[in-house]
Amino acid sequence: MSGLIGFLRAAAIGLPVLFAASVAQAQSGPPTAEELAAQIGDLKKDYEKRIAALEAQLAGMKARPPAAEQKAAPASRPSMRSGDNSFNPAIGVVLNAMFVDRSDEEVGLPGFQLGHESERPEKGFSLGHSEVTMSGNIDDKFRGALALGLGAHGSETEVELEEAYVQTLAGSGLPDGTRLKAGRALWTFGYLNEQHAHGDDFADRPLPYRAFLDGAYNDDGLELSVVLPGDIYKEIGGGVFRGGDIPFGGSETGREAWSAYARIGGDVGRNSALRLGAYVLDGEAHGRAGGAHAHDEEEDGHGHEEEEHAEGEEEDGHEEGHPHAELFSAGAFTGDTRLFGVDFRYTWAPTGNARDSELILQGEYFHRSETGSYTLQEEHEECEDPSPDPNNPHGHEVCETHVDEMAEDLNGSSSSGWYAQAVYKFLPQWRAGMRYARLSPPSAAELDNDLSTVSAMLDWTNSEFGRVRFQYNRETFGETRDNQFILQYVMSLGAHGAHSF
Amino acid sequence: MRRTALAAALAAALLSPAMANAQVRILACEPEWAALAEEIGGEDVVVHSATHGGQDAHYIRARPSLIAKVRRAKILFCSGADLEVGWLPVLMQRGAGRIVQPGQPGHIMAADHVEVLERPEVLDRSLGDIHPGGNPHVHLDPGNIAILARLLTERLEQIDPDRAEAYRQRLASFQARWADAVAGWRERTEKLRGMKVVVHHKAWVYLLRWAELERVAVLERVSGIPPTASHLVEVLELVRNSGARAILRAPFEPEDASEWLSGKTGIPVVELPFTVGGSPEAGDLFSLFDSTLALLEEARDRS
């Protein structure tokens, strides 16, 4: 093809000269040199035009393969290998570790159950959640994904099935904009819940996520969502779930929770965008307990899963004199729990290029209302000295196991929490951020104070795939203050999914 | 009464998918394809571009507005070759209808239909943010524009057969004007042939090949990662006595590295529009190439 064009191009230069000469001779009288030059110039232009038109046509021909070939791979990709590997799912690995220094005093989550995922980070070096993800299209109608979280707790490696879901593709036959997702997934609730934690802008989840969702709600169930037609982004959806994950737990029927949400969003001017959402998540909990391992032995008065701490004499330092708070943090909840949430996220890239500089503002507010009861059973042994019976010199200690039970019935007990954060990318590879989070314990817990955390972070992003972050947290509850310093890296290799807004 | 009317209006706003106008909605990922769609579609289409001339299409967010737009689009017109890999998959899974899915007539990825340059032989993330499918910036060769014009017309005819004639007529008109323009540009590029340039990113290969310019060095050694000081020093050595006439930069590329090199060598930095809307002069596809050549000619004549 290029040979042909080259030939034409040569002809375009050569031909006009001959042609012009012969035309010129046929005219009356010998033409002047200027006339000749002008004529040649005109002709040359004319030919170049035609050649360009030919080029365009040739190009067009290339673009239109014969009808029979239309479904085949495009001509420009002749060497596509089609071994078994090309159908492998996209595999990605996220590596994540931190170094932490912090105060000895632990604020914890007074008035709330401390879940497994919401413990404060361990001192010194530790691995966070490493993650392995696999995803791919199943066929023309479905797509599937699997995400495993690998966490190290002491010498044990824990594997958590974070996500394992299938969802419909546009070819599924559902109306445009409609998607059905089933299995286990990070369901739609607020902004952060859908995101994997390694994509967060801070090293830890904010207080309301720790208190109400134990990091994130990833239950088993299914969710339908619909993007409504129109120039403005509007999405509605809802789901039904097993009720096996915090804020629920101990599901009896296997379908005890439901959710609904609505979102709206759009561009604000040329270089910024906004999204707002409102959410509800409602269901039954049966004996929901926090289940976190407390770290500090001397404070571990309520490690109710840890049988070795059966002494039970010690009260948590900061909860002393708040038996109700103890009930709410260490007790088990059975009843109806309903979460409302609203969120916003605003991004602004001054030049339109988020890669150079960008400001992200984000905030969420959660409100929880619970009707049911908290119960706390504490077992402890009381031993009496053997009775001074001279007839029985081999008298054993007499021990009895006492079970103290505390319980409180609630009717619409409410608690709430919110956070707001700003993250600014001031250089292409550097971002700084601030976050304030606040949590109001249930009034029945009779705690006088709210919890609050102020966080500051600075991170360096070498490429899209590697990030190193420094974060400072100051958690406050009454007189208790916990200063935490976190140095973290989050790196991903392999397939790296596109980011949602 | 009023309440009923309001409810009806609300219902209409929520439910009716563009009942009022039957124009074909086109979502272009980049402004150059939006401009081409305007040329062929005229008043029979509504075109939106996901990015504007000042934006790098690698790195935008899957904004809510784009989900709404792809939801309504009958044609999705992008560069492809993974240029939009950071955000387009979200749109495809979240709002996109069947007609714009791969293999459907509404799915046009330019790089699938033209000769793609710089297909990497080795794929490794240590080489930066590389594109396994080759260099996706195919629009900077007028021949590729002609190919895509024809392809888009065919797809429009398929999707909107009632107005096939109008699309064909606009294509014919565009092809004639484009051929004229290409002839004019050809004369100009002949005088630019062999001009030596330094580029910031590898985004210019198609322009360089078409205009037969010679690339002396690339500032961004690892694609997608800002150049390091040591690499810049190497580039400086390479460029110093090379006879390069210009350092080419797109509007969205950072200024510091190119300005530094320019300061050291005296070679002028030339900010080319790169795409439609990339400079005030580059208002459409024709003026994009016109003004690009004018800037190159200016740089050649300056030194």
Side-chain angles (χ1 to χ4, degrees), chain A residues 64 225 227 271 353 355 358, chain B residues 54 56 61 71 94 154 224:
Chain A
R64 189 158 60 171
S225 60
V227 177
N271 292 326
N353 291 295
R355 193 187 176 212
E358 184 182 37
Chain B
D56 184 347
R61 289 186 177 277
R71 166 78 174 76
R94 207 52 216 90
E154 284 167 16

Side-chain angles (χ1 to χ4, degrees), chain A residues 135-270:
Chain A
S135 64
N137 290 342
I138 293 161
D139 53 24
D140 61 326
K141 294 186 169 51
F142 302 102
R143 174 180 178 77
L146 180 75
L148 298 174
L150 302 172
H153 281 273
S155 59
E156 282 173 36
T157 303
E158 291 181 358
V159 180
E160 195 209 345
L161 192 54
E162 288 183 359
E163 291 194 293
Y165 66 82
V166 294
Q167 68 183 39
T168 57
L169 294 171
S172 65
L174 291 174
D176 279 357
T178 307
R179 184 177 75 181
L180 190 62
K181 197 171 182 178
R184 175 177 296 184
L186 294 160
W187 301 109
T188 311
F189 187 80
Y191 179 80
L192 288 176
N193 197 70
E194 276 173 281
Q195 319 287 328
H196 284 268
H198 63 78
D200 288 4
D201 294 327
F202 288 81
D204 55 354
R205 288 256 147 129
L207 283 176
Y209 270 85
R210 294 170 60 203
F212 296 127
L213 299 172
D214 188 22
Y217 179 61
N218 59 337
D219 206 345
D220 303 346
L222 63 89
E223 186 184 82
L224 183 76
S225 60
V226 185
V227 177
L228 299 170
D231 279 335
I232 292 177
Y233 161 79
K234 298 180 292 282
E235 184 179 328
I236 54 171
V240 284
F241 310 106
R242 178 176 178 81
D245 188 39
I246 292 175
F248 316 110
S251 179
E252 286 176 356
T253 65
R255 43 184 164 83
E256 303 204 17
W258 61 271
S259 76
Y261 72 91
R263 279 175 172 164
I264 188 165
D267 292 341
V268 185
R270 204 164 132 94

Side-chain angles (χ1 to χ4, degrees), chain A residues 45 49 55 59 63-64 74 76 143 170-171 176 225 227 231 233 235 267 270-271 352-353 355 358 498, chain B residues 52 54-56 59 61-65 71-72 86 93-94 98 101 112 114 119 147 154 180 186-187 224:
Chain A
K45 261 190 196 161
K49 248 188 221 179
E55 276 184 338
R64 189 158 60 171
S76 60
R143 174 180 178 77
D176 279 357
S225 60
V227 177
D231 279 335
Y233 161 79
E235 184 179 328
D267 292 341
R270 204 164 132 94
N271 292 326
N353 291 295
R355 193 187 176 212
E358 184 182 37
Chain B
H52 58 67
Q55 278 180 318
D56 184 347
Y59 304 105
R61 289 186 177 277
R63 308 191 301 274
S65 66
R71 166 78 174 76
R72 300 180 83 180
Q93 284 171 31
R94 207 52 216 90
R98 186 171 164 71
Q101 297 292 332
D112 291 348
V114 300
R119 208 180 284 272
I147 293 172
E154 284 167 16
D180 265 2
R186 172 80 62 214
E187 277 179 32

Side-chain angles (χ1 to χ4, degrees), chain B residues 90-262:
Chain B
V90 174
L91 303 191
M92 296 307 284
Q93 284 171 31
R94 207 52 216 90
R98 186 171 164 71
I99 196 161
V100 299
Q101 297 292 332
Q104 300 297 320
H107 186 84
I108 305 176
M109 295 289 133
D112 291 348
H113 303 281
V114 300
E115 187 192 345
V116 175
L117 303 176
E118 292 189 338
R119 208 180 284 272
E121 285 170 14
V122 182
L123 290 180
D124 192 302
R125 290 280 188 224
S126 66
L127 301 173
D129 196 1
I130 52 173
H131 297 286
N135 192 309
H137 308 283
V138 300
H139 69 283
L140 283 175
D141 180 339
N144 290 344
I145 299 282
I147 293 172
L148 270 305
R150 180 147 206 151
L151 185 90
L152 176 66
T153 310
E154 284 167 16
R155 300 296 178 85
L156 278 166
E157 286 172 33
Q158 255 178 293
I159 287 167
D160 185 20
D162 291 349
R163 283 179 290 211
E165 190 48 41
Y167 297 127
R168 276 197 290 270
Q169 277 173 10
R170 283 195 211 94
L171 173 67
S173 150
F174 175 74
Q175 280 176 328
R177 285 178 291 131
W178 196 247
D180 265 2
V182 170
W185 297 330
R186 172 80 62 214
E187 277 179 32
R188 294 165 71 182
T189 55
E190 258 163 34
K191 290 170 197 149
L192 288 167
R193 182 183 291 158
M195 176 174 163
K196 289 178 176 158
V197 295
V198 179
V199 296
H200 183 94
H201 179 84
K202 291 178 178 171
W204 301 101
V205 279
Y206 295 90
L207 178 72
L208 301 194
R209 186 182 67 155
W210 170 69
E212 296 176 70
L213 309 182
E214 191 184 323
R215 181 169 78 191
V216 177
V218 181
L219 290 181
E220 214 177 74
R221 180 177 53 174
V222 182
S223 188
I225 297 177
T228 59
S230 60
H231 174 61
L232 283 179
V233 171
E234 282 172 34
V235 171
L236 178 61
E237 288 309 309
L238 208 60
V239 166
R240 194 165 256 151
N241 298 309
S242 67
R245 297 296 188 89
I247 302 167
L248 305 185
R249 186 179 74 203
F252 50 79
E253 286 171 343
E255 295 175 10
D256 41 8
S258 43
E259 296 297 343
W260 176 85
L261 188 65
S262 177

Side-chain angles (χ1 to χ4, degrees), chain A residues 25-364:
Chain A
Q25 277 197 341
Q27 284 174 348
S28 57
T32 63
E34 287 82 22
E35 275 171 7
L36 254 180
Q39 278 175 351
I40 289 173
D42 283 353
L43 276 165
K44 195 179 162 203
K45 261 190 196 161
D46 190 47
Y47 272 85
E48 290 205 328
K49 248 188 221 179
R50 290 186 202 182
I51 285 167
L54 269 173
E55 276 184 338
Q57 272 182 11
L58 275 172
M61 278 160 62
K62 271 199 280 183
R64 189 158 60 171
E69 281 174 38
Q70 226 146 24
K71 290 232 161 160
S76 60
R77 296 192 166 172
S79 63
M80 182 80 89
R81 280 169 298 158
S82 59
D84 289 342
N85 282 349
S86 51
F87 293 110
N88 279 353
I91 298 177
V93 176
V94 180
L95 301 172
N96 166 17
M98 48 176 77
F99 178 84
V100 175
D101 194 18
R102 55 170 164 78
S103 329
D104 291 328
E105 266 192 295
E106 180 170 359
V107 169
L109 289 174
F112 293 94
Q113 295 166 327
L114 184 65
H116 211 57
E117 305 296 321
S118 303
E119 305 164 67
R120 70 175 176 163
E122 287 181 75
K123 252 186 182 177
F125 293 100
S126 69
L127 278 179
H129 267 211
S130 307
E131 200 176 272
V132 181
T133 59
M134 279 173 250
S135 64
N137 290 342
I138 293 161
D139 53 24
D140 61 326
K141 294 186 169 51
F142 302 102
R143 174 180 178 77
L146 180 75
L148 298 174
L150 302 172
H153 281 273
S155 59
E156 282 173 36
T157 303
E158 291 181 358
V159 180
E160 195 209 345
L161 192 54
E162 288 183 359
E163 291 194 293
Y165 66 82
V166 294
Q167 68 183 39
T168 57
L169 294 171
S172 65
L174 291 174
D176 279 357
T178 307
R179 184 177 75 181
L180 190 62
K181 197 171 182 178
R184 175 177 296 184
L186 294 160
W187 301 109
T188 311
F189 187 80
Y191 179 80
L192 288 176
N193 197 70
E194 276 173 281
Q195 319 287 328
H196 284 268
H198 63 78
D200 288 4
D201 294 327
F202 288 81
D204 55 354
R205 288 256 147 129
L207 283 176
Y209 270 85
R210 294 170 60 203
F212 296 127
L213 299 172
D214 188 22
Y217 179 61
N218 59 337
D219 206 345
D220 303 346
L222 63 89
E223 186 184 82
L224 183 76
S225 60
V226 185
V227 177
L228 299 170
D231 279 335
I232 292 177
Y233 161 79
K234 298 180 292 282
E235 184 179 328
I236 54 171
V240 284
F241 310 106
R242 178 176 178 81
D245 188 39
I246 292 175
F248 316 110
S251 179
E252 286 176 356
T253 65
R255 43 184 164 83
E256 303 204 17
W258 61 271
S259 76
Y261 72 91
R263 279 175 172 164
I264 188 165
D267 292 341
V268 185
R270 204 164 132 94
N271 292 326
S272 52
L274 176 68
R275 195 186 77 186
L276 306 168
Y279 312 81
V280 60
L281 180 61
D282 182 292
E284 293 289 321
H286 300 274
R288 177 193 72 207
H293 307 272
H295 292 127
D296 298 329
E297 301 304 317
E298 73 277 8
E299 288 187 354
D300 194 1
H302 59 216
H304 51 270
E305 287 196 342
E306 312 240 288
E307 302 309 330
E308 68 259 36
H309 299 296
E311 313 98 83
E313 290 108 333
E314 274 179 357
E315 290 269 71
D316 262 18
H318 54 266
E319 285 174 12
E320 221 161 345
H322 292 297
H324 277 93
E326 172 83 9
L327 175 64
F328 280 83
S329 56
F333 175 74
T334 298
D336 181 76
T337 182
R338 176 175 294 178
L339 269 174
F340 287 105
V342 288
D343 73 339
F344 81 93
R345 180 169 161 99
Y346 170 83
T347 62
W348 174 55
T351 63
N353 291 295
R355 193 187 176 212
D356 299 337
S357 72
E358 184 182 37
L359 176 69
I360 304 172
L361 303 177
Q362 179 182 318
E364 299 184 56

